[in-house]
Amino acid sequence: MTPSPTTSDTLYERARALMPGGVNSPVRAFGSVGGTPRFLVDAHGAYVTDADGTEYVDLVCSWGPALLGHSHPDVIAAVHRAVDHGLTFGASTPAEADLAQLVQQRVPAVELLRMVSTGTEATMTAVRLARGFTSRNLIVKFAGCYHGHVDSLLASAGSGVATLALPGSAGVTEATTAETLVLPYNDVEAVEEAFRTHGEHIAAVITEAAPANMGVVTPAPGFNAFLSRITRENGALFIVDEVMTGFRTHAGGYWKLTGGADDAEHPWTPDLLTFGKVIGGGIPAAALGGRADVMNYLAPIGPVYQAGTLSGNPIAMAAGVATLTAATDDVYRHVDARSLEVSDALSAELSKAGVDHSIQRAGNLFSVAFGTSEHGVRNYADAQGQEAFRYGPFFHSMLDSGVYLPPSVYEAWFLSAAHDDTAMERVHAALPAAARAAAAAVAAD
């Protein structure tokens, strides 16, 4: 007997007739795990509820912003107060400086900050700014690091250590990506070769502070410090993308978590940083910041143009201020502990089921990679070489047990301050069956 369609089934069919793929962001389509994406209608604390009324423990947390948990009362109250005064003004508001000051207090490398609306806009602006400041054209990025859908950064690696990139998306021209060098992540020699060959033309190196878009990949000890040093020695800028890690892995982001300028063994300080996700508290907002001399190259002071009608939107600023204010040290300790609890339990159940795997960590962000126990995942090639076919059955088993995971093996898992003992018990209870489903999975011919 064919099962009756769910409300999500019906909503998905309607959406597919109205929007490409039925979604407004590709990963939501469940393309890598199969099945019908759940249409969510409510979120409170550690839980989300779909259109059929099914409640799930949420380990996505809106891909990071729900650090405090969904619908945190302080954030909701701040948004309501802001809404009462209007939705948008197209002019400066006090809340922009309030949020900028909170960011600066947490991340001392940010001497000046420019608010924008999306992480993509932040990285796009950072790259343009680096080129304008240095009067150079080439950008170095790493395979597997995602910096938004900026044309010049949607590039796949060519052959060789310093090959000019080829487009990684239809609609992106070879001319656009010809000024991007794509290197293997965690590969010091490849970076050194790139600077030997192209050093006088390299405007910047851009990297995720800790990659979290090919699954989580931990930077090798000293790698970020090396990037900071080699860019400085060659007159280039070091751009650190903290859209995922900023204000989530630590009050000051991954830069501060790993010591930053205070790390006696591997000190490193970026010239520019980009932020998103948590900075808007769940409402679209992002920013770039860094050295004052570089940031002052932005209009209206400098020659590098950037503008945004809704940048610094007062509702997003209010949500961001409330979120960062409520994100105390106790919040980070709780999220760190819950993250370790879930990742350890996940590893234990997979081992019990005989599933080869590694757990990839960067602070409280983590992911699982199947078939990688020997070396873990150090770069994009390792990530692509894993037994990704095991994730779909694992994912759907967890979903059927009431736990909502990222619908792709190449994404990080997120927890929040609202994940209490009850939520954890549901996650623990779901893991054994999901581990067995991963063990039973068979690769497609």
Side-chain angles (χ1 to χ4, degrees), residues 200-423:
E200 62 182 331
H201 303 294
I202 294 175
V205 173
I206 185 169
T207 182
E208 292 181 75
N213 287 282
M214 48 177 152
V216 174
V217 178
T218 308
F223 185 65
N224 282 328
F226 159 73
L227 295 178
S228 178
R229 183 178 68 254
I230 197 169
T231 50
R232 184 173 61 252
E233 291 172 350
N234 286 273
L237 298 184
F238 182 33
I239 305 171
V240 172
D241 182 342
E242 293 241 33
V243 169
M244 295 281 279
T245 55
F247 316 117
R248 172 156 270 282
T249 55
H250 183 274
Y254 199 75
W255 173 57
K256 291 296 287 182
L257 176 68
T258 54
D262 301 324
D263 185 340
E265 186 176 358
H266 301 298
W268 61 285
T269 300
D271 299 299
L272 293 172
L273 301 99
T274 62
F275 304 103
K277 313 293 187 189
V278 176
I279 199 174
I283 297 177
L288 67 148
R291 284 168 39 189
D293 60 328
V294 179
M295 292 296 295
N296 277 329
Y297 258 62
L298 285 173
I301 297 175
V304 177
Y305 192 73
Q306 182 276 332
T309 300
L310 298 181
S311 295
N313 173 272
I315 313 305
M317 298 298 97
V321 168
T323 297
L324 293 190
T325 300
T328 63
D329 289 343
D330 284 344
V331 164
Y332 289 103
R333 279 192 288 268
H334 181 91
V335 175
D336 290 350
R338 291 307 196 192
S339 173
L340 186 61
E341 178 184 345
V342 172
S343 59
D344 281 352
L346 166 62
S347 184
E349 291 298 337
L350 289 173
S351 295
K352 190 182 300 183
V355 180
D356 184 279
H357 69 283
S358 65
I359 301 296
Q360 306 294 129
R361 306 179 195 273
N364 54 43
L365 295 185
F366 70 91
S367 63
V368 60
F370 296 103
T372 60
S373 64
E374 185 175 358
H375 298 295
V377 176
R378 301 155 297 184
N379 51 45
Y380 192 39
D382 289 343
Q384 288 181 309
Q386 71 174 288
E387 296 174 348
F389 64 89
R390 298 193 186 279
Y391 190 73
F394 176 87
F395 168 87
H396 280 286
S397 178
M398 294 292 285
L399 194 67
D400 291 343
S401 295
V403 180
Y404 190 77
L405 299 181
S408 169
V409 74
Y410 300 107
E411 300 287 353
W413 297 29
F414 300 88
L415 284 92
S416 78
H419 282 74
D420 57 12
D421 290 344
T422 301

Side-chain angles (χ1 to χ4, degrees), residues 154-158 163-169 173-174 177 180 182:
L154 277 178
S156 57
T163 303
L164 295 180
L166 297 175
S169 169
T173 66
E174 291 187 16
T177 56
T180 302
V182 182

